[in-house]
């Protein structure tokens, strides 16, 4: 196999972490909303707040 026939190396360019978060968060929120995860987070947060005395 000659050098010209080999597949090119993958690029080393990376996305900025904020771009990656902007891509993932809408899907994460949609999944959390559809599966009732939002209610679980609110319930847990209120429980922690009660434990801390707020």
């Amino acid at each position: 196999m000659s050098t010209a026939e080999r597949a090119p190396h993958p690029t080393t360019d990376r996305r900025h972490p904020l771009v990656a978060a902007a891509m993932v968060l809408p899907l994460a929120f949609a999944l959390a909303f559809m599966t009732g995860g939002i209610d679980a987070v609110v319930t847990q947060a209120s429980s922690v707040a009660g434990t801390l005395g707020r």
Side-chain angles (χ1 to χ4, degrees), residues 13-25:
D13 294 337
R14 290 185 164 198
R15 288 187 183 98
H16 191 278
L18 291 178
V19 173
M23 292 170 59
V24 171
L25 285 178

Side-chain angles (χ1 to χ4, degrees), residues 31-49:
L31 287 173
F33 178 75
M34 291 188 304
T35 61
I38 299 292
D39 293 332
V41 170
V42 169
T43 302
Q44 186 69 23
S46 66
S47 174
V48 170

